[in-house]
């Protein structure tokens, strides 16, 4: 018994006519008769009562018709799902990204993926800097969007976007332009900064900014979450240096003063990962 024999049986159970069924199934009437007889022999069940004029289902045949129609639909769905997975159109992809792009480029990226592959499930997570590469290697995430340059040989990396750093201050703060950030004015400021991660090229960028001003600012609070930093700035607890992509969060009560310092965004993935879902998504993200 094979799947094609069941399809022949179901077609005949609907038509109840060998000649009509054979035509629709694109086989000869004698070949259809042999397939049905073979199926009956394998099952040890008579499926049809037939004479020269009529063909009708037996009680056993009616039972199998009802059951097999449901199961065949399930199989077709399973087979279609397998084809979609093979083509990279279905399944799940897990993407980690910094909080700073949640309202800037992420909606556009997700819109492209969703439009191209509506059956694909997307899981978004945020991962600490020191865990990003381990999460990729251990298949906990499939893609990592970061502001850090990757030097690992088993992880591919491609630049996808560039933002600028910005001074983030309350609306009533005296800073108005980048020139207001000087060695002298820094002495009176409290800073709330992202966590200072050792080896992070993004952290190095902020350090270089302050080194250029020949002043180490007073930093009394570090946070992994830019949204939390912005909330504290708005409360008047300090000022911050963050990517200007946070502008898209449209948070009232604060101002962004754009600095002439660029911060690049990179997409990272496993070098030896040949998952078609991953390949399809990368084509949509990488310019």
């Amino acid at each position: 018994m094979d799947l094609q024999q069941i399809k022949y049986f179901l077609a005949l159970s609907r038509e109840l006519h060998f000649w009509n069924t054979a035509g629709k199934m694109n086989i000869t009437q004698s070949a259809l008769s042999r397939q049905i007889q073979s199926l009956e022999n394998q099952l040890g069940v008579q499926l049809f009562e037939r004479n020269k004029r009529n063909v009708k289902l037996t009680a056993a045949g009616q039972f199998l018709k009802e059951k097999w129609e449901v199961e065949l639909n399930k199989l077709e769905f399973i087979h279609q799902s397998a084809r979609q997975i093979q083509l990279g159109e279905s399944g799940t992809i897990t993407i980690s990204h910094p909080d700073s792009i949640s309202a800037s480029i992420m909606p556009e990226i997700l819109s492209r993926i969703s439009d191209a592959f509506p059956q694909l499930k997307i899981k978004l997570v945020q991962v600490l800097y020191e865990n990003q590469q381990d999460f990729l290697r251990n298949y906990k995430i499939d893609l990592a969007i970061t502001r850090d340059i990757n030097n690992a040989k088993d992880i591919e990396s491609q630049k996808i976007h560039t933002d600028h750093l910005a001074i983030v201050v309350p609306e009533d703060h005296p800073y108005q332009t980048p020139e207001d950030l000087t060695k002298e004015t820094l002495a009176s400021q409290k800073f709330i900064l992202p966590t200072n991660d050792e080896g992070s090229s993004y952290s190095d960028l902020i350090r270089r900014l302050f080194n250029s001003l020949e002043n180490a600012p007073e930093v009394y609070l570090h946070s992994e979450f830019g949204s939390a930093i912005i909330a504290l700035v708005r409360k008047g607890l300090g000022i911050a240096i963050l990517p200007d992509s946070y502008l898209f969060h449209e948070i009232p009560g604060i101002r962004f003063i754009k600095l002439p310092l660029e911060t690049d965004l990179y997409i990272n993935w496993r070098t030896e990962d040949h998952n078609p879902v991953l390949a399809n998504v990368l084509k949509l993200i990488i310019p």
Side-chain angles (χ1 to χ4, degrees):
M1 180 175 64
D2 59 35
L3 193 58
Q4 189 58 50
Q5 286 179 321
I6 294 175
K7 290 181 178 180
Y8 289 144
F9 162 75
L10 289 174
L12 182 57
S13 71
R14 289 187 290 268
E15 291 291 327
L16 295 178
H17 194 289
F18 274 88
W19 189 84
N20 289 346
T21 302
K24 288 186 175 181
M25 299 301 290
N26 200 29
I27 61 172
T28 64
Q29 184 173 335
S30 59
L32 176 61
S33 295
R34 288 195 299 272
Q35 291 291 339
I36 297 300
Q37 187 173 16
S38 173
L39 183 59
E40 289 178 324
N41 291 338
Q42 291 175 68
L43 291 171
V45 171
Q46 184 179 352
L47 299 172
F48 296 96
E49 293 178 0
R50 45 203 183 265
N51 54 41
K52 291 183 179 180
R53 289 190 173 184
N54 298 307
V55 177
K56 67 177 183 177
L57 284 165
T58 63
Q62 182 63 39
F63 171 80
L64 287 174
K65 176 180 183 292
E66 293 171 1
K67 296 297 182 183
W68 276 343
E69 280 182 334
V70 173
E71 295 305 317
L72 195 62
N73 286 336
K74 287 182 181 178
L75 280 174
E76 288 294 340
F77 173 78
I78 291 170
H79 296 165
Q80 178 62 27
S81 297
R83 287 190 289 270
Q84 288 177 333
I85 291 171
Q86 176 67 29
L87 294 172
E89 298 174 355
S90 183
T92 301
I93 190 162
T94 303
I95 305 172
S96 73
H97 66 91
D99 182 37
S100 57
I101 62 170
S102 296
S104 59
I105 68 169
M106 281 308 294
E108 172 60 26
I109 287 173
L110 298 175
S111 177
R112 286 184 220 161
I113 297 172
S114 179
D115 289 345
F117 306 108
Q119 301 301 316
L120 184 63
K121 295 180 181 178
I122 307 168
K123 183 178 179 181
L124 300 179
V125 298
Q126 291 185 16
V127 178
L128 299 178
Y129 163 75
E130 62 265 26
N131 295 332
Q132 287 169 357
Q133 291 188 352
D134 284 342
F135 274 44
L136 275 173
R137 292 186 179 108
N138 295 328
Y139 290 79
K140 292 182 179 179
I141 58 176
D142 301 301
L143 288 171
I145 301 175
T146 75
R147 294 190 181 276
D148 289 291
I149 298 171
N150 165 61
N151 295 312
K153 293 182 179 180
D154 58 340
I155 296 174
E156 291 287 335
S157 186
Q158 180 78 39
K159 188 171 83 170
I160 59 170
H161 189 72
T162 298
D163 291 321
H164 283 80
L165 290 184
I167 311 168
V168 186
V169 298
E171 275 186 331
D172 58 354
H173 195 278
Y175 279 176
Q176 297 293 327
T177 68
E179 289 71 28
D180 292 328
L181 190 66
T182 65
K183 179 180 179 180
E184 290 71 30
T185 61
L186 277 177
S188 61
Q189 302 298 322
K190 282 188 174 182
F191 275 85
I192 308 165
L193 295 181
T195 302
N196 189 9
D197 294 309
E198 190 65 32
S200 164
S201 54
Y202 177 67
S203 295
D204 288 342
L205 181 63
I206 294 177
R207 280 194 292 270
R208 290 200 302 272
L209 168 64
F210 290 121
N211 288 340
S212 70
L213 297 169
E214 299 179 347
N215 197 336
E218 180 186 353
V219 182
Y220 81 103
L221 194 150
H222 287 281
S223 174
E224 286 283 350
F225 305 104
S227 296
I229 292 174
I230 288 174
L232 296 173
V233 170
R234 184 183 180 192
K235 193 70 175 177
L237 297 177
I239 65 174
I241 304 290
L242 290 171
D244 64 353
S245 54
Y246 276 109
L247 272 166
F248 290 87
H249 288 240
E250 298 183 353
I251 301 171
I254 59 170
R255 283 189 290 108
F256 285 80
I257 304 170
K258 186 175 178 179
L259 296 170
L261 286 174
E262 293 183 342
T263 167
D264 295 325
L265 280 160
Y266 302 88
I267 187 83
N268 304 272
W269 67 96
R270 292 176 292 274
T271 302
E272 297 301 323
D273 192 336
H274 303 296
N275 184 343
V277 171
L278 178 63
N280 285 340
V281 170
L282 284 171
K283 290 176 185 176
L284 296 172
I285 296 177
I286 296 176

